């Protein structure tokens, strides 16, 4: 995707970077001309903002206030032009941009016009989209093509530097979103997230192939023995999801299929990853890992392919019968409490916070569970058996 660094590299006449060099890798979604308030009604995250100091609507004090507000709204860069170049950008504004790590450009009055900048950035974004689509088309055919022959594999290998003698695996990045009252703004945030994700993947070692497909993001990468790429993905998704622009709004999980050396089986790796997406929120994941695979299911993955499924399900039903009946009759959540208590490492404070209840209410629930099941929750073998029964039932009914 296009970044502020790409805008700088255009070397447009009269456009110079004066501050915020640390933020040059910020992704640019489009160009925004700062004119009238409220800015929120017109600006989208990732916009490269342009403003003219005309001494009527904007002097430098007003520009400074606009900058602060636009940064809160998620701009990627800021370009300032001054009528007739009457004065330079003041040092206090340059210092503030450096503090924010916001690329700040001075656009000379006699240099490139805002129209030139808008057209150049728009052209860059369009060209990048074409390149991304081309990569996506190759990956799509590789995963779903009916005839992945040697000639096609050789062509991809030459263009993307893939060594098909090594094992590769597919990852599907599934995105969970929270929607607000402004659906149009939600879509802009999601598109900006997709652009940022694309930019992060492009920077990864090994340069995975990447595409957006059916509201998910798919990548193909070399499966190294030390799980180097998986660790890189984990760090990347944690970094991206904790970004103030997305924190609490968008959260992603990468589901991995198995690794194969035969390109004809990459589609199978995709299907394996896809089959786990509905299960991702049920997997035991107390450390909130961002990268999950079939191996994450542990022993559970062996329970759904034999002839003893009825026997397993009967055992789980019998084990949980009393608390399930109590929950149904009283509108309580004892079963969910059991699982949440386990996921939070038997920590009563964290468990109560996760369940949005008072700690004393949690303790009463735990006492009730012990009473109904006639067990002690300090018996960890008994507790683990209950957790296994809960998870097995949930997996079976998906």
């Amino acid at each position: 995707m296009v970044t502020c660094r790409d805008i700088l590299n255009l070397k447009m006449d009269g456009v110079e970077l004066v501050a915020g060099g640390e933020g040059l890798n910020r992704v640019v979604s489009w160009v925004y001309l700062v004119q009238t308030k409220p800015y929120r009604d017109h600006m989208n995250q990732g916009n490269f903002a342009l403003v003219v100091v005309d001494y009527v609507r904007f002097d430098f004090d007003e520009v400074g206030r606009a900058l602060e507000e636009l940064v809160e709204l998620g701009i990627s860069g800021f370009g300032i032009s001054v009528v007739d170049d009457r004065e330079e950008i003041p040092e206090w504004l340059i210092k503030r941009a450096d503090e924010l790590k916001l690329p700040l450009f001075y656009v000379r009055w006699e240099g490139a016009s805002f129209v030139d900048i808008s057209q150049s950035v728009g052209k860059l974004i369009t060209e990048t989209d074409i390149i991304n689509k081309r990569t996506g088309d190759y990956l799509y055919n590789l995963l779903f093509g009916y005839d992945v022959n040697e000639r096609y594999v050789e062509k991809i290998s030459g263009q993307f530097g893939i060594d098909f003698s090594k094992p590769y695996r597919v990852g599907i990045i599934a995105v969970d979103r929270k929607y607000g009252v402004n659906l149009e703004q939600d879509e802009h945030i999601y598109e900006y997230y997709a652009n940022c994700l694309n930019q992060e993947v492009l920077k990864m070692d090994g340069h995975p192939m990447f595409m957006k497909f059916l509201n998910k993001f798919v990548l193909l990468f070399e499966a190294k023995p030390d799980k180097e790429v998986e660790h890189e993905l984990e760090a990347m998704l944690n970094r991206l999801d904790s970004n103030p622009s997305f924190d609490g709004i968008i959260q992603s999980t990468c589901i991995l299929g198995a690794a194969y050396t035969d390109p004809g089986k990459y589609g199978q790796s995709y299907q394996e990853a896809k089959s786990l997406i509905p299960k991702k929120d049920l997997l035991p994941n107390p450390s909130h890992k961002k990268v999950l695979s079939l191996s994450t299911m542990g022993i559970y993955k062996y329970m759904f392919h034999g002839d003893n499924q009825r026997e397993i399900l009967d055992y789980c039903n019998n084990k949980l019968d009393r608390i399930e009946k109590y929950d149904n009759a009283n509108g309580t959540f004892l079963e969910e409490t059991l699982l949440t208590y386990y996921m939070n490492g038997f920590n009563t404070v964290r468990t109560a916070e996760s369940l949005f209840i008072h700690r004393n209410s949690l303790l009463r629930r735990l006492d009730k569970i012990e009473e109904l099941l006639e067990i002690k929750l300090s018996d960890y073998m008994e507790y683990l058996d209950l957790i296994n029964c809960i998870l097995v039932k949930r997996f079976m009914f998906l």
Side-chain angles (χ1 to χ4, degrees):
M1 306 310 300
V2 173
T3 66
C4 287
R5 188 180 303 280
D6 295 320
I7 294 176
L8 179 63
N9 290 338
L10 287 172
K11 300 187 184 303
M12 288 180 284
D13 184 35
V15 178
E16 59 181 300
L17 180 72
V18 295
E22 290 185 59
L24 282 173
N25 287 329
R26 293 186 182 210
V27 174
V28 176
S29 58
W30 206 252
V31 176
Y32 168 60
L33 302 181
V34 181
Q35 294 178 318
T36 57
K37 289 189 175 185
Y39 303 134
R40 182 181 296 276
D41 291 346
H42 316 289
M43 203 277 304
N44 296 312
Q45 284 186 317
N47 279 167
F48 184 83
L50 297 168
V51 64
V52 176
V53 178
D54 57 8
Y55 303 99
V56 178
R57 289 178 300 176
F58 289 95
D59 56 15
F60 275 114
D61 287 337
E62 183 60 32
V63 167
R65 287 189 287 271
L67 181 144
E68 296 290 344
E69 185 174 344
L70 290 167
V71 165
E72 288 293 321
L73 295 175
I75 62 170
S76 293
F78 201 43
I80 300 175
S81 186
V82 182
V83 170
D84 296 326
D85 291 323
R86 292 184 195 177
E87 56 182 316
E88 300 291 323
I89 297 177
E91 284 299 321
W92 62 265
L93 195 54
I94 291 174
K95 181 180 179 182
R96 183 57 178 150
D98 277 329
E99 291 172 351
L100 295 169
K101 299 179 182 178
L102 176 73
L104 178 63
F105 292 80
Y106 187 16
V107 182
R108 297 286 176 183
W109 189 250
E110 297 298 331
S113 69
F114 283 0
V115 173
D116 295 332
I117 295 173
S118 299
Q119 289 179 342
S120 298
V121 173
K123 182 180 178 182
L124 266 180
I125 291 173
T126 301
E127 289 174 348
T128 304
D129 287 343
I130 291 172
I131 293 172
N132 289 339
K133 183 180 184 304
R134 176 171 161 271
T135 304
D137 288 344
Y138 275 115
L139 180 54
Y140 180 89
N141 288 331
L142 192 59
L143 297 181
F144 310 116
Y146 294 105
D147 183 21
V148 183
N149 54 46
E150 291 185 5
R151 184 176 178 183
Y152 187 78
V153 168
E154 184 179 343
K155 184 176 182 180
I156 294 179
S157 178
Q159 293 196 26
F160 298 99
I162 295 178
D163 183 355
F164 286 106
S165 66
K166 298 177 180 178
Y168 278 75
R169 70 191 311 179
V170 171
I172 300 176
I173 299 177
V175 179
D176 294 317
R177 305 162 60 185
K178 287 186 178 179
Y179 293 91
V181 296
N182 188 332
L183 294 181
E184 183 179 357
Q185 184 68 15
D186 291 339
E187 288 306 310
H188 284 303
I189 294 173
Y190 178 66
E191 288 301 321
Y192 182 53
Y193 183 90
N195 291 339
C196 292
L197 179 59
N198 194 357
Q199 179 68 18
E200 291 285 344
V201 171
L202 288 174
K203 293 188 292 186
M204 289 178 63
D205 292 337
H207 306 293
M209 295 184 72
F210 177 82
M211 70 174 177
K212 182 179 176 183
F213 178 60
L214 298 178
N215 292 321
K216 296 184 287 291
F217 304 93
V218 183
L219 60 159
L220 178 72
F221 61 90
E222 182 184 343
K224 298 183 179 180
D226 57 2
K227 296 188 176 180
E228 178 183 336
V229 181
E230 286 89 330
H231 296 320
E232 192 176 2
L233 276 169
E234 183 84 34
M236 179 192 78
L237 291 178
N238 273 315
R239 184 170 61 251
L240 192 58
D241 289 359
S242 62
N243 184 300
S245 297
F246 313 119
D247 190 21
I249 302 173
I250 295 179
Q251 293 291 312
S252 293
T253 307
C254 185
I255 315 293
L256 304 178
Y260 296 98
T261 51
D262 179 4
K265 291 187 176 181
Y266 293 163
Q268 183 175 333
S269 183
Y270 171 85
Q271 295 299 332
E272 290 166 350
K274 181 183 175 183
S275 69
L276 282 181
I277 292 177
K279 301 179 175 67
K280 68 180 178 65
D281 294 326
L282 300 179
L283 292 170
N285 189 20
S287 58
H288 305 291
K289 290 183 178 179
K290 290 284 190 180
V291 180
L292 305 174
S293 64
L294 195 65
S295 61
T296 312
M297 290 183 66
I299 194 171
Y300 304 115
K301 64 177 176 283
Y302 299 109
M303 295 182 177
F304 312 112
H305 304 291
D307 298 327
N308 60 343
Q309 291 187 28
R310 185 69 257 173
E311 182 181 355
I312 293 172
L313 189 57
D314 287 344
Y315 176 82
C316 295
N317 284 332
N318 183 62
K319 195 78 177 178
L320 300 171
D321 180 63
R322 292 183 183 180
I323 60 172
E324 286 182 343
K325 285 182 177 177
Y326 187 88
D327 278 345
N328 290 333
N330 297 278
T332 52
F333 303 93
L334 299 184
E335 184 176 305
E336 191 64 34
T337 300
L338 263 177
L339 186 58
T340 305
Y341 188 41
Y342 172 76
M343 292 298 188
N344 283 279
F346 309 107
N347 183 297
T348 54
V349 175
R350 289 204 303 267
T351 303
E353 289 176 351
S354 297
L355 293 170
F356 302 103
I357 60 175
H358 193 277
R359 182 173 177 273
N360 290 340
S361 298
L362 171 65
L363 295 177
R364 286 194 293 272
R365 287 189 188 184
L366 296 178
D367 288 341
K368 190 64 181 178
I369 291 170
E370 289 186 332
E371 176 191 333
L372 288 170
L373 298 182
E374 299 178 352
I375 63 168
K376 288 293 183 183
L377 294 180
S378 57
D379 183 343
Y380 292 134
M381 290 301 293
E382 187 72 44
Y383 200 122
L384 182 60
D385 194 32
L386 289 169
I387 295 299
N388 284 333
C389 288
I390 293 171
L391 292 173
V392 165
K393 283 193 67 176
R394 293 188 180 189
F395 285 133
M396 278 189 168
F397 288 128
L398 278 177

